[in-house]
Amino acid sequence: MDVQMREAAQKNFEVENSIETVDAARDAIYQYDELENKKILNEKPWKEDPNYFKHARISAIALLKMTIHARSGGSIEVMGMMTGKIVGDAIVVMDAFPLPVEGTETRVNPQAEAYEYMVDYLSTLQKVGRKENIVGWYHSHPGYGCWLSGIDVGTQSQNQQYQDPFLAVVIDPNRTISAGKVEIGAFRTYPENYKPPGSQESEYQTIPLAKMEDFGAHASQYYALEVSHFKSSLDAKLLELLWNKYWISTLSQTALLTNREYASQQMLDLSNKIAQAESSIGASVSALSGARSIVADRREEPRESELDKIVRDTTKIASEEIHGLLSQAVKDRVFNNLKTRIN
Amino acid sequence: MATVAEAGVSLVIPNAAYSTDLTIGLHPLAILNISDFYTRAHLSRTDLLGGLIGKQTGRDVSIEHTFEFRLADGQIDEDLLNKKLEQFKACFEDLDFVGWFYIPLQLPYEPTEELIPVHQYLAKFHNDTPPLLLILNPSAEAVMNTQSLPITIYETLFTETGKPQFVEVQHRIDSFEAEHIGVLYVAKQDAVVTAEKKDTTESSLAGRGKAKEKMKKDEAADTMTSSNAEEIVSQLNSQANAVKMLHSRLQILQQYLDYVQSLPDEAVSVADLEVLRQIDGLVGRLSTENFGDVAQGQQIDGLLAALLGLVTKGVKYGVELNAKRQMLDVQRGPAAAASTGPPIMTERLSRYYGRS
């Protein structure tokens, strides 16, 4: 069959089955509408309402790039920038790129070191037709959860003052591997002296003792956005096809081995917390003697919730270990002891 | 480089004529990057091409990142290319330029004459040796109705005519642990992560004081156990799928072996000796070791962690019980409320209950 015939056959096939590898509706998010974007940048609806942005939509490749970069830093914090656009009350992150900056938790505004790199990189993006602007920054918290530290809050507040709209994203690569799912959070800070509406209760996170204070002190200065992901139709198709070659690495992964250091750190931290809790339990119990029942009632609360937290931490560690063991058990059943089983 | 106006002539040599010792590990991020480029740009540009960044150790090449080229007047913008390579070096020191990719928009979806000038030009960024060429076939038939990725990677071979020809090289999929988890996560249809800070304005209507506290705690506990359950289910699912794939592949091998066995003696030479040798090698590599000690050690560690969780829970209940008991004692009188702390708590508890 020569080339022209093949071409004709292909065109026929496509027409008959109206197959498109790019779905106009579903992939509309990939179109960059300059006018639309200019309009919303002029209106700036987020200036009046600090809670304006409620959603963060992150594309598949942005997520992968950030996760891989975070993991490649090991136990050192790394950071990068994200490009994208605004759609309604959502910040859409289309792509991300790393910055050659390390140890980002030691100073406010670490991106200042890499301004030249950033501007350079942006110009290269513009040249290949990617017209999106920078919409935020991401950095990693290896092993200690997705939240904003005091320094992060400082950096993000500055960003929101001078470069709004801006989003802060945090990734924990260690937890990602040990839990088997991506640990990611998206945040925006409140302006100073702003009281958030209603009491915000955070879903509990396991945070190492050393960082607990930092977390608590600044927890009310920012809020989290709902994170969702998207991918193009071609991405989806390729991912489906990828599975045909991917199942090998699924079977062979050894989460327990790769995360051994992280797991032992968790245990150590847990033991410190228990020691702390033990001393505080002793103290408040002796304080109870002679106290009236009402007072005892109130003092009961903090002691209980501390133990509660410890229980949750241990359960989390235990479940992560069990997760790792599950895959080991599967491997064992399938591959080991073949001689004995054959005989 | 001229834009591809008509279908060119394919320059691919069929594989049987040449075998290569090059092994390639392709990362999913690179695949998704190229696909993203195509989705964004396929309506506006006629030429979709860019560079591949990875690592080459000996004859094994890994392809990890990609970036796009810009064409100015039919020439590749060299400044941009150099700048991009610099930027990648700044962030990832041990990665280099290993090849380039091209997305053809019409038949044939293979390397043609038009690509040769670009190919030779790019050799100078690759230690003056011809780089790898990756072709993504975006046509509907390649993507929709097949079982394998529409990606082919070619190595260059110089024939007697002096013109380069391309030979397909098999690739495998490599991924870092984090990349692996990210890809599985993204591949799930509805990957939605709910907000970490829940707005509790609705639950404030439901009750006041302690009742509200308890309800929130219950809700939190519920979501935790159900999300844990979901995670385990999805992990088991993916493991089950992987095992099924393994099983189906093994079945194919077994069917082939049965067929060969059933052939009458004279026709046995028809059997592909190469394949049989590979199967034999595979079986030989299967482990007859027990790994008993190490596996047991791991299991013990994991179960120990689980036990720790249970014990801590038990301690918590014990302390709660003690606190409640103390409240009762306080009501009865200050003397009875004196307590000396957790160490002898259980003893006191047993005496208390023994007494009543």
Side-chain angles (χ1 to χ4, degrees):
Chain A
M1 211 198 245
D2 76 337
V3 173
Q4 280 103 336
M5 272 179 75
R6 259 169 75 189
E7 229 179 278
Q10 187 194 331
K11 288 222 166 74
N12 252 339
F13 178 73
E14 282 183 33
V15 164
E16 278 170 0
N17 295 293
S18 35
I19 293 173
E20 276 261 336
T21 40
V22 178
D23 184 331
R26 187 161 163 197
D27 295 333
I29 200 167
Y30 285 87
Q31 304 292 343
Y32 183 77
D33 191 338
E34 281 210 53
L35 286 171
E36 183 75 40
N37 228 46
K38 275 216 178 83
K39 184 163 146 254
I40 204 167
L41 283 175
N42 277 331
E43 284 173 11
K44 296 200 208 300
W46 49 84
K47 272 224 146 111
E48 291 91 51
D49 183 7
N51 256 319
Y52 179 75
F53 289 114
K54 307 232 169 18
H55 301 274
R57 308 207 65 212
I58 304 185
S59 78
I61 49 164
L63 181 72
L64 277 183
K65 282 190 188 171
M66 295 193 282
T67 314
I68 293 175
H69 181 221
R71 178 68 180 169
S72 73
S75 53
I76 304 180
E77 296 98 358
V78 291
M79 71 173 281
M81 308 301 293
M82 311 186 292
T83 58
K85 58 188 179 183
I86 315 292
V87 175
D89 67 351
I91 298 188
V92 178
V93 177
M94 307 288 300
D95 197 8
F97 61 91
L99 288 180
V101 175
E102 279 187 345
T104 53
E105 298 289 324
T106 52
R107 52 208 181 287
V108 174
N109 209 8
Q111 58 223 48
E113 281 173 27
Y115 270 147
E116 208 186 299
Y117 180 94
M118 212 193 320
V119 167
D120 236 6
Y121 197 96
L122 263 186
S123 72
T124 61
L125 283 182
Q126 301 277 345
K127 279 195 187 155
V128 290
R130 299 180 89 134
K131 306 195 217 80
E132 292 101 17
N133 296 319
I134 292 204
V135 290
W137 66 302
Y138 70 89
H139 68 288
S140 65
H141 277 186
Y144 52 98
C146 296
W147 44 281
L148 290 185
S149 69
I151 294 191
D152 293 337
V153 169
T155 311
Q156 177 63 9
S157 301
Q158 256 190 23
N159 286 330
Q160 286 187 207
Q161 244 185 330
Y162 299 112
Q163 304 186 57
D164 234 2
F166 220 72
L167 181 69
V169 162
V170 183
I171 295 195
D172 184 343
N174 292 5
R175 288 244 175 111
T176 296
I177 294 189
S178 129
K181 65 173 184 153
V182 181
E183 282 277 319
I184 187 171
F187 309 101
R188 274 180 64 81
T189 51
Y190 290 127
E192 251 181 73
N193 305 324
Y194 176 80
K195 279 275 174 278
S199 66
Q200 300 265 342
E201 233 197 57
S202 59
E203 196 178 294
Y204 180 75
Q205 280 195 74
T206 308
I207 296 180
L209 214 49
K211 306 270 178 182
M212 214 46 127
E213 212 180 294
D214 199 3
F215 171 72
H218 302 276
S220 57
Q221 294 173 326
Y222 59 93
Y223 71 99
L225 287 85
E226 194 173 313
V227 179
S228 62
H229 304 280
F230 63 92
K231 51 188 187 281
S232 70
S233 25
L234 186 59
D235 282 348
K237 280 276 159 286
L238 287 177
L239 284 171
E240 265 177 49
L241 296 172
L242 191 63
W243 175 248
N244 282 337
K245 299 220 172 169
Y246 222 50
W247 58 273
I248 301 173
S249 73
T250 308
L251 263 187
S252 60
Q253 65 176 283
T254 49
L256 282 181
L257 278 181
T258 37
N259 250 20
R260 197 162 263 177
E261 202 188 295
Y262 168 68
S264 5
Q265 261 179 12
Q266 292 281 81
M267 276 299 191
L268 221 87
D269 191 67
L270 181 68
S271 63
N272 286 337
K273 281 188 186 153
I274 291 182
Q276 227 188 34
E278 198 183 349
S279 56
S280 77
I281 287 177
S284 46
V285 160
S286 54
L288 263 184
S289 54
R292 285 173 306 171
S293 53
I294 306 168
V295 178
D297 200 13
R298 273 203 215 115
R299 282 201 213 159
E300 196 187 306
E301 283 283 4
R303 192 180 40 164
E304 198 174 29
S305 57
E306 214 177 302
L307 252 194
D308 242 350
K309 284 188 208 156
I310 290 183
V311 166
R312 279 199 241 197
D313 284 348
T314 23
T315 341
K316 185 172 152 312
I317 293 178
S319 65
E320 283 174 12
E321 288 283 306
I322 303 285
H323 268 224
L325 272 185
L326 272 178
S327 47
Q328 294 295 89
V330 168
K331 274 192 274 180
D332 182 54
R333 289 289 294 169
V334 174
F335 297 115
N336 282 350
N337 299 334
L338 287 171
K339 207 170 207 169
T340 47
R341 267 194 261 149
I342 290 169
N343 296 345
Chain B
M1 188 188 104
T3 53
V4 183
E6 323 100 18
V9 176
S10 164
L11 289 176
V12 178
I13 303 179
N15 230 347
Y18 177 74
S19 68
T20 173
D21 59 348
L22 203 57
T23 55
I24 304 193
L26 180 61
H27 283 252
L29 176 61
I31 300 176
L32 288 180
N33 250 340
I34 299 178
S35 129
D36 175 76
F37 180 33
Y38 174 74
T39 309
R40 277 181 300 110
H42 88 292
L43 290 172
S44 52
R45 308 257 300 259
T46 46
D47 293 310
L48 301 166
L49 62 170
L52 302 171
I53 301 276
K55 204 186 306 193
Q56 174 152 14
T57 37
R59 294 302 282 167
D60 186 270
V61 185
S62 78
I63 301 177
E64 301 177 26
H65 295 268
T66 67
F67 63 94
E68 295 98 41
F69 291 157
R70 176 172 163 258
L71 288 179
D73 310 317
Q75 292 281 358
I76 292 185
D77 184 342
E78 185 164 335
D79 285 333
L80 182 63
L81 216 177
N82 276 320
K83 206 168 251 182
K84 273 292 191 203
L85 291 179
E86 253 176 60
Q87 286 170 347
F88 269 109
K89 265 296 180 194
C91 291
F92 304 104
E93 297 149 349
D94 50 351
L95 300 182
D96 300 296
F97 180 73
V98 295
W100 64 295
F101 70 86
Y102 179 65
I103 308 177
L105 293 173
Q106 58 199 8
L107 286 169
Y109 295 100
E110 283 170 350
T112 59
E113 292 247 357
E114 285 83 2
L115 301 185
I116 293 189
V118 179
H119 199 72
Q120 286 170 333
Y121 166 76
L122 286 172
K124 73 174 185 194
F125 298 97
H126 190 245
N127 297 327
D128 291 325
T129 55
L132 292 172
L133 168 59
L134 185 153
I135 301 265
L136 170 76
N137 184 344
S139 67
E141 67 174 16
V143 171
M144 298 286 166
N145 296 319
T146 54
Q147 285 297 312
S148 59
L149 288 172
I151 289 183
T152 14
I153 304 186
Y154 298 96
E155 201 191 12
T156 327
L157 178 66
F158 289 98
T159 57
E160 309 88 31
T161 60
K163 256 197 336 199
Q165 303 261 55
F166 296 97
V167 178
E168 184 180 331
V169 181
Q170 289 300 323
H171 60 275
R172 60 172 197 277
I173 304 290
D174 270 349
S175 63
F176 303 118
E177 196 77 41
E179 193 178 357
H180 180 97
I181 293 174
V183 169
L184 283 179
Y185 184 67
V186 161
K188 278 188 280 186
Q189 276 305 335
D190 312 281
V192 175
V193 175
T194 50
E196 292 195 336
K197 290 197 176 188
K198 292 200 188 96
D199 194 353
T200 54
T201 42
E202 300 108 0
S203 55
S204 64
L205 296 167
R208 294 177 289 125
K210 271 216 142 162
K212 182 170 86 161
E213 278 282 310
K214 190 156 192 310
M215 208 187 73
K216 266 193 245 170
K217 272 196 199 152
D218 281 350
E219 261 178 36
D222 274 348
T223 46
M224 232 176 77
T225 45
S226 66
S227 71
N228 270 342
E230 263 176 44
E231 272 173 48
I232 294 189
V233 166
S234 70
Q235 192 195 7
L236 286 178
N237 258 337
S238 56
Q239 295 276 2
N241 284 336
V243 172
K244 275 186 212 158
M245 285 295 278
L246 179 64
H247 182 70
S248 69
R249 297 291 159 93
L250 286 176
Q251 269 189 331
I252 294 176
L253 284 181
Q254 192 187 15
Q255 279 170 5
Y256 180 71
L257 287 174
D258 283 341
Y259 164 72
V260 168
Q261 244 188 350
S262 69
L263 289 174
D265 280 333
E266 316 85 52
V268 161
S269 55
V270 166
D272 191 341
L273 290 175
E274 177 65 39
V275 169
L276 287 178
R277 230 178 290 131
Q278 281 182 343
I279 297 180
D280 189 41
L282 183 69
V283 171
R285 278 205 302 267
L286 288 177
S287 156
T288 50
E289 253 185 86
N290 210 349
F291 291 122
D293 294 332
V294 178
Q296 250 192 353
Q298 261 185 351
Q299 277 178 11
I300 290 178
D301 282 342
L303 293 176
L304 196 60
L307 183 63
L308 182 64
L310 286 176
V311 167
T312 338
K313 257 198 195 154
V315 168
K316 177 189 127 174
Y317 290 140
V319 168
E320 275 180 23
L321 186 61
N322 184 38
K324 287 175 187 161
R325 193 264 310 167
Q326 278 178 355
M327 277 203 308
L328 291 177
D329 273 350
V330 162
Q331 283 172 354
R332 290 186 195 184
S339 160
T340 43
I344 60 169
M345 175 184 78
T346 41
E347 190 213 343
R348 295 213 82 209
L349 271 176
S350 54
R351 272 198 286 139
Y352 178 76
Y353 286 119
R355 197 169 63 210
S356 55

